[in-house]
């Protein structure tokens, strides 16, 4: 009988140890699932911005607003909805770019997140509604600022002329790259 009780105690201890290992694996999986959750935020604005100081290099046109990023291991997708205009001679243009903390979505100048509007032939202005999406894969956790930058050859570059409701959608989700 003592031998049987000893065997039962051993089995109970083994089951308890296995249960502890299972609980640890579950906690690990729960942590991974929480990293996969995508959060979305909307930065809304109505005022317009314009500049007549454009050239070959990007200059900041405006700050859209801020947001907080929860995980250092996640990526951001920003989607910008607006209307852009260029005034000037035919063939001139304005090249708008959405940035986070003053930086484009890549390490090189240019990058993505751009909306370009040209002044067409026989005209003094070009205008276009735009929706631009871009991926920021290496932005750290914490507070960040979204801004619009512009470069070009047009006499004047305008964003949201008319002051209509506009927005930037900020989505934080899992980073798919290594």
């Amino acid at each position: 009988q003592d031998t049987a009780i000893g065997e039962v105690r051993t089995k109970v201890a083994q089951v308890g140890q296995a249960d502890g290992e299972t609980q640890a694996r579950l906690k690990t999986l729960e942590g991974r699932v929480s990293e996969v959750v995508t959060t979305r935020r909307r930065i809304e604005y109505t005022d317009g911005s314009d500049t007549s100081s454009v050239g070959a290099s990007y200059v900041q046109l405006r700050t859209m607003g801020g947001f907080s990023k929860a995980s250092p291991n996640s990526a951001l997708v920003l989607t910008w909805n607006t209307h852009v205009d260029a005034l000037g001679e035919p063939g001139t243009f304005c090249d708008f770019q959405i940035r986070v903390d003053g930086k484009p979505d890549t390490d090189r100048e240019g990058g993505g997140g751009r909306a370009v509007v040209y002044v067409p032939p026989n005209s003094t202005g070009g205008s276009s509604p735009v929706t631009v999406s871009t991926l920021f894969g290496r932005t750290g956790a914490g507070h960040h600022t979204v801004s619009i930058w512009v470069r070009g050859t047009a006499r004047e570059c305008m964003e949201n002329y008319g002051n209509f409701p506009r927005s930037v959608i900020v989505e934080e989700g899992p980073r798919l790259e290594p």
Side-chain angles (χ1 to χ4, degrees):
Q1 220 174 13
D2 286 338
T3 304
I5 291 173
E7 288 175 7
V8 168
R9 285 183 179 159
T10 301
K11 286 183 182 181
V12 167
Q14 289 172 345
V15 168
Q17 181 180 357
D19 184 52
E21 291 170 2
T22 301
Q23 292 299 321
R25 280 189 260 154
L26 281 173
K27 290 220 179 281
T28 300
L29 288 173
E30 287 171 352
R32 288 182 184 165
V33 167
S34 69
E35 290 177 7
V36 173
V37 173
T38 300
T39 58
R40 291 177 183 88
R41 298 161 195 84
R42 180 187 312 265
I43 299 171
E44 296 181 340
Y45 64 99
T46 56
D47 54 327
S49 293
D50 65 277
T51 185
S52 56
S53 299
V54 291
S57 297
Y58 283 102
V59 294
Q60 185 172 347
L61 179 65
R62 69 173 311 147
T63 297
M64 313 295 280
F67 66 93
S68 290
K69 184 171 179 273
S71 173
N73 300 321
S74 62
L76 296 171
V77 174
L78 274 65
T79 304
W80 174 43
N81 297 294
T82 193
H83 195 273
V84 292
D85 296 273
L87 298 177
E89 300 301 314
T92 59
F93 69 94
C94 297
D95 178 1
F96 299 86
Q97 183 178 59
I98 189 166
R99 294 184 173 198
V100 172
D101 299 333
K103 298 175 187 164
D105 65 350
T106 64
D107 292 333
R108 60 184 169 78
E109 189 68 13
R114 295 167 57 190
V116 180
V117 61
Y118 286 91
V119 178
N122 302 319
S123 181
T124 58
S127 183
S128 181
V130 294
T131 298
V132 174
S133 291
T134 189
L135 175 67
F136 288 85
R138 301 279 181 205
T139 305
H143 184 77
H144 300 282
T145 303
V146 179
S147 57
I148 301 301
W149 293 59
V150 65
R151 69 178 177 176
T153 58
R155 182 177 66 250
E156 187 172 9
C157 298
M158 297 180 288
E159 188 267 332
N160 193 26
Y161 182 74
N163 299 324
F164 296 101
R166 301 292 182 220
S167 66
V168 175
I169 305 295
V170 180
E171 298 178 87
E172 179 179 354
R175 185 178 330 168
L176 301 177
E177 58 198 70

